[in-house]
């Protein structure tokens, strides 16, 4: 059976690099053919509304900006229980929402079998509709890594 | 010694609210409500085509968006004096009611129930006893021991994993938490079931509005839904029947679960009928027009002064002069250029003048609206009180039913005066949710009956005259009376003001320095543990503010000594 996998890009497009997850989904849809069973979703700053799309997945791959001491443009990959721990130390408000969402899925008994987070360290969170040059430059690599991940997951 | 509590925003998604309380002798002594973000949409609208205003005003918010689309087209239609086809009214009404049901369910379970429900206590509950209790209260199919056991097991697993997620920031073990472990487990189970139910209401909005948040189907002059009963691409019988199925499922949940749970919280927290009274001038709009010009509406609205139902003055139709002539906004304590006294919205100005937080001068981006010169509380409680004053049976019936459940559970009489309170606002919201479900059923039937007559019109193109026209549109939104006011000159917007529900309720002090409803409602609130001011949040959340906030507790020197996130 084809596995059910979602690539979820989250972020606020108004706050430059904060929107990197959404920019990644846009790029995936434009430039990449994802394997059968894999859906890319622009999660924006939604929370509740995403619940139905994320239920009973074989794998959930989240792409988002991530806080930490990394140089801007650095890509970080986290898996399993490390994902909600990262989100509980929030960089931005919608991350609180993603953490909530994962907890709700667990309480409903419909959590994804596997959760992977690709986090991109931002350079700027200022008001602005475009990514900073460093994060923009990292985007192609982020997309390639996401595609590799879902290919490995779909076998 | 007086302590100062500041509740300050963290979210960048929705509106921003800050609450400051001065606490003395274990009680709130004074309070200030401050909106900390400038909206600015009114300025964006100047010089634009009035037909675009609804799409732009929806962007006031990312949650409560439909309401601004509706109020905006009504304002422009009022300015032009035009009628809209009946089908358009029914389709708008269905979206309005479905949006409200969604908002009310989500508000109670997902945004405020955890003020009353202690999740960690649920870990100690006996699932079998919980199911027995639940089945004694209601015939809901999700009340069995299997459901209660499954919830408890998943909750234990979540807590053991150390990933509390949604429940990480609650006031667990707070002395003001009073429910038994079994009632807490029941509430958590319904919290999860409500996650499934709320989306049924949202689906109605998205079937009709093409998407939500931010519906795409309204237009000045009607709606953009083409109706063809046998086509896949437009509003078809299949879609209309999907809406009916969702309405029936919502009715079951609202009656058998939401209404019962609110009654139970009210019965177990009787002391909260004595807190949070605040401003008892009430203002509400009638809603759900069933004719082309909004002269006949399904629910009642009006004004009640000083909590006295005998003072009720009805607002009867779209364009009603009682509302048109009595609204004004003061910026004496708001970060706008002022000096002209309180202004009617047609003459309203929105020029920012930020000064930093000055509690005796300007301290908020929210203006201070008044009705006949007085602050007024808006929201479900105002709607319910108008209905009681007008003896409007479709509302009074549900009120009597829900208060009956409270009385049966608490084994005591609940006087009407108990509604002027924190818990009264929750009860009123539960009443109105049941009313909105009835409205959904009736509006759906009206739409079907009208279509059966062969009338499929949904739009009448507007014509804009030369010269100046003014108009206002009101809408009774989930959080209360919303009004948009527009001045159109030679077909473009010359002035635009939105007076939103949270402007009424979160208003700073007005021209006469009277506190607004949030501010007044907090005075006298006792705090069991000033380090964790749960009681302040209970009252503020009872108004359904469209916000997430952080509580920063500061000592008198204003150095933060604790920070607790809440939603």
């Amino acid at each position: 059976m084809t596995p059910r996998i979602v690539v979820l890009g989250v972020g606020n497009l108004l706050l430059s690099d904060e929107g990197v997850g959404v920019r990644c989904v846009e790029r995936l849809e434009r430039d990449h053919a994802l394997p059968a069973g894999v859906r890319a979703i622009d999660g924006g700053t939604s929370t509740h509304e995403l619940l139905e799309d994320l239920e009973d997945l074989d794998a959930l791959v989240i792409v988002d900006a991530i806080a930490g001491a990394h140089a801007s443009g650095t890509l970080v990959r986290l898996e399993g229980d490390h994902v909600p721990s990262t989100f509980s130390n929030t960089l931005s408000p919608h991350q609180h929402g993603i953490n909530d969402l994962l907890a709700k899925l667990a309480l409903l008994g419909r959590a994804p079998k596997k959760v992977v987070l690709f986090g991109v360290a931002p350079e700027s969170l200022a008001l602005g509709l475009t990514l900073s040059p460093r994060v923009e430059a990292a985007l192609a690599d982020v997309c390639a890594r996401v595609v590799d991940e879902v290919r490995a997951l779909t076998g | 010694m007086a302590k100062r509590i500041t509740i300050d925003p963290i979210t960048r998604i929705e509106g921003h609210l800050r609450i400051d309380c001065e606490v003395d002798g274990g009680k709130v002594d004074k309070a200030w409500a401050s909106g900390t973000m400038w909206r600015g949409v009114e300025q964006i609208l100047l010089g634009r085509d009035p037909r675009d205003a609804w799409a732009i005003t929806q962007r006031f918010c990312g949650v409560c968006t439909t309401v601004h689309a509706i109020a905006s087209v009504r304002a422009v239609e009022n300015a032009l004096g035009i009628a809209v086809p009946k089908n358009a009214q029914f389709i708008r009404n269905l979206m309005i009611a479905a949006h409200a049901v969604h908002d009310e369910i989500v508000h109670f379970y997902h945004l405020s129930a955890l003020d009353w429900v202690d999740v960690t206590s649920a870990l100690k509950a006996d699932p079998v006893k919980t199911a027995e209790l639940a089945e004694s209260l209601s015939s809901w199919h999700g009340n069995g021991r299997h459901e209660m056991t499954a919830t408890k097991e998943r909750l234990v697993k979540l807590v053991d994993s150390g990933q509390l997620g949604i429940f990480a920031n609650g006031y667990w073990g707070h002395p003001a938490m009073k429910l038994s472990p079994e009632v807490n487990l029941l509430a958590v189970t319904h919290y999860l079931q409500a996650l499934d139910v709320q989306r049924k209401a949202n689906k109605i909005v998205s079937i009709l509005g093409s998407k939500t948040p931010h519906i795409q189907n309204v237009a000045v002059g009607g709606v953009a839904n083409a109706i063809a009963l046998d086509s896949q691409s437009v509003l078809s019988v299949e879609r209309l029947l999907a809406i009916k199925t969702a309405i029936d499922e919502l009715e079951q949940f609202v009656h058998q679960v939401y209404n019962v749970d609110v009654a139970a919280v009210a019965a177990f927290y009787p002391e909260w009928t004595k807190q949070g009274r605040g401003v008892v001038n009430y203002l509400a709009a009638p809603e759900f027009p069933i004719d082309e010009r909004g002269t006949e509406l399904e629910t009642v609205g009006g004004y009640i002064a000083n909590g006295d139902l005998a003072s009720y003055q009805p607002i009867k139709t779209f364009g009603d002069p009682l509302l048109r002539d009595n609204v004004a906004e003061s910026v004496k304590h708001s970060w706008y250029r002022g000096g002209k006294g309180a202004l009617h919205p047609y003459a309203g100005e929105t020029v920012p003048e930020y000064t930093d937080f000055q509690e005796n001068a300007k301290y908020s981006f929210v203006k201070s609206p008044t009705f006949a010169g007085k602050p007024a509380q808006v929201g479900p409680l105002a709607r319910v009180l108008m209905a009681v004053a007008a003896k409007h049976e479709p509302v009074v019936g549900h009120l009597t039913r829900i208060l009956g459940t409270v009385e049966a559970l608490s084994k005591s009489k609940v006087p009407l005066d108990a509604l002027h309170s924190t818990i009264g606002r929750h009860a009123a919201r539960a009443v109105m949710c049941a009313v909105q479900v009835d409205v959904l059923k009736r509006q759906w039937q009206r739409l079907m009956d009208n279509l059966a007559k062969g009338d499929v019109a949904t739009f009448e193109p507007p014509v804009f005259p030369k010269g100046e026209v003014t108009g206002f549109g009101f809408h009774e939104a989930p959080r209360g009376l919303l009004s948009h006011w527009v001045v159109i000159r030679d077909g473009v917007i010359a002035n635009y003001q939105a007076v939103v529900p949270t402007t009424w309720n979160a208003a700073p002090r007005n021209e006469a320095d009277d506190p607004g409803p949030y501010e007044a409602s907090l005075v006298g609130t006792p705090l069991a543990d000033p380090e964790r001011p749960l009681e302040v949040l209970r009252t503020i959340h009872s108004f359904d503010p469209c916000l997430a906030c952080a509580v920063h507790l500061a000592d008198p020197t204003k150095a933060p000594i604790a920070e607790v996130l809440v939603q």
Side-chain angles (χ1 to χ4, degrees), chain A residues 52 55 85 91 107 110, chain B residues 154 163 167 196 199 203:
Chain A
E52 196 168 3
E55 287 177 353
S85 323
L91 166 69
L107 283 170
R110 303 171 200 157
Chain B
R154 291 185 196 127
Q163 308 294 352
F167 302 139
D196 282 339
R199 65 166 81 128
K203 273 185 182 160

Side-chain angles (χ1 to χ4, degrees), chain B residues 216-277:
Chain B
Q216 298 296 308
N217 69 319
V218 299
V220 172
V223 293
N225 303 73
I227 294 175
L229 296 179
D230 55 354
S231 165
Q232 288 300 310
S233 60
V234 292
L235 193 54
S236 62
V237 167
E238 189 189 351
R239 285 174 195 194
L240 289 164
L241 289 175
I243 290 171
K244 183 66 169 65
T245 304
I247 294 170
D248 292 342
E249 289 169 343
L250 288 166
E251 179 176 39
Q252 201 184 15
F253 183 83
V254 169
H255 282 232
Q256 296 180 3
V257 185
Y258 175 30
N259 285 177
V260 178
D261 287 350
V262 169
V265 168
F268 291 124
Y269 286 100
E271 68 277 20
W272 282 89
T273 60
K274 296 183 179 67
Q275 298 298 334
R277 186 178 173 95

Side-chain angles (χ1 to χ4, degrees), chain B residues 19-48:
Chain B
I19 300 282
D20 278 55
C21 294
E22 206 174 270
V23 182
D24 206 356
K27 284 187 177 181
V28 176
D29 190 32
K30 282 184 193 152
W32 294 263
S34 169
T36 60
M37 190 172 68
W38 186 44
R39 199 167 62 197
V41 170
E42 281 100 337
Q43 300 299 87
I44 292 171
L45 287 167
L46 298 178
R48 288 184 187 263

Side-chain angles (χ1 to χ4, degrees), chain B residues 27-342:
Chain B
K27 284 187 177 181
V28 176
D29 190 32
K30 282 184 193 152
W32 294 263
S34 169
T36 60
M37 190 172 68
W38 186 44
R39 199 167 62 197
V41 170
E42 281 100 337
Q43 300 299 87
I44 292 171
L45 287 167
L46 298 178
R48 288 184 187 263
D49 189 322
R51 290 172 297 184
D52 295 341
W54 68 269
I56 297 168
T57 58
Q58 279 202 99
R59 301 289 164 166
F60 278 139
C61 186
V63 177
C64 225
T65 61
T66 305
V67 300
H68 294 293
I70 297 290
S72 180
V73 291
R74 285 180 179 172
V76 178
E77 287 158 2
N78 177 254
L80 300 179
I82 59 173
V84 301
K86 275 188 179 175
N87 289 330
Q89 300 285 39
F90 302 148
I91 288 171
R92 289 180 187 177
N93 290 342
L94 282 165
M95 290 190 298
I96 292 168
H99 169 74
V101 170
H102 177 261
D103 190 278
E104 284 150 358
I105 291 172
V106 169
H107 175 260
F108 181 69
Y109 286 101
H110 306 127
L111 301 178
S112 65
L114 300 185
D115 294 351
W116 311 92
V117 172
D118 188 334
V119 173
T120 54
S121 156
L123 296 168
K124 295 187 276 248
D126 176 347
V128 176
K129 279 191 194 154
T130 306
E132 283 168 11
L133 168 72
E135 286 165 348
S136 75
L137 293 173
S138 139
S139 56
W140 171 244
H141 60 73
N143 275 347
R145 64 175 65 183
H146 173 75
E147 282 82 2
M148 302 306 155
T149 306
T151 304
K152 188 178 166 183
E153 281 170 2
R154 291 185 196 127
L155 197 56
V156 168
K157 207 170 140 195
L158 189 76
V159 172
D160 287 349
S161 77
Q163 308 294 352
L164 264 173
I166 21 178
F167 302 139
N169 299 308
Y171 284 82
W172 316 136
H174 191 284
M177 289 289 193
K178 299 278 172 69
L179 302 178
S180 70
E182 282 71 30
V183 176
N184 282 315
L185 179 60
L186 177 60
V188 173
T189 304
H190 290 168
Y191 175 107
L192 296 171
Q193 291 168 348
L195 285 171
D196 282 339
V197 172
Q198 53 93 19
R199 65 166 81 128
K200 296 179 199 299
N202 234 354
K203 273 185 182 160
I204 298 174
V205 183
S206 40
I207 287 172
L208 295 168
S210 301
K211 78 183 272 286
T212 184
H214 302 118
I215 55 170
Q216 298 296 308
N217 69 319
V218 299
V220 172
V223 293
N225 303 73
I227 294 175
L229 296 179
D230 55 354
S231 165
Q232 288 300 310
S233 60
V234 292
L235 193 54
S236 62
V237 167
E238 189 189 351
R239 285 174 195 194
L240 289 164
L241 289 175
I243 290 171
K244 183 66 169 65
T245 304
I247 294 170
D248 292 342
E249 289 169 343
L250 288 166
E251 179 176 39
Q252 201 184 15
F253 183 83
V254 169
H255 282 232
Q256 296 180 3
V257 185
Y258 175 30
N259 285 177
V260 178
D261 287 350
V262 169
V265 168
F268 291 124
Y269 286 100
E271 68 277 20
W272 282 89
T273 60
K274 296 183 179 67
Q275 298 298 334
R277 186 178 173 95
V279 170
V280 291
N281 305 315
Y282 294 95
L283 185 62
E287 193 46 88
F288 307 111
I290 53 174
D291 63 354
E292 292 88 340
R293 290 182 180 273
T295 62
E296 206 182 329
L297 296 104
E298 276 215 29
T299 59
V300 297
Y303 181 68
I304 289 171
N306 205 24
D308 176 11
L309 300 192
S311 71
Y312 169 63
Q313 297 171 267
I315 295 169
K316 289 178 179 161
T317 65
F318 281 6
D320 198 307
L322 183 68
L323 187 64
R324 185 192 64 204
D325 300 340
N326 281 297
V327 176
E329 290 190 296
S330 161
V331 296
K332 184 175 170 186
H333 295 281
S334 312
W335 289 313
Y336 299 101
R337 195 176 66 200
K340 297 180 182 174

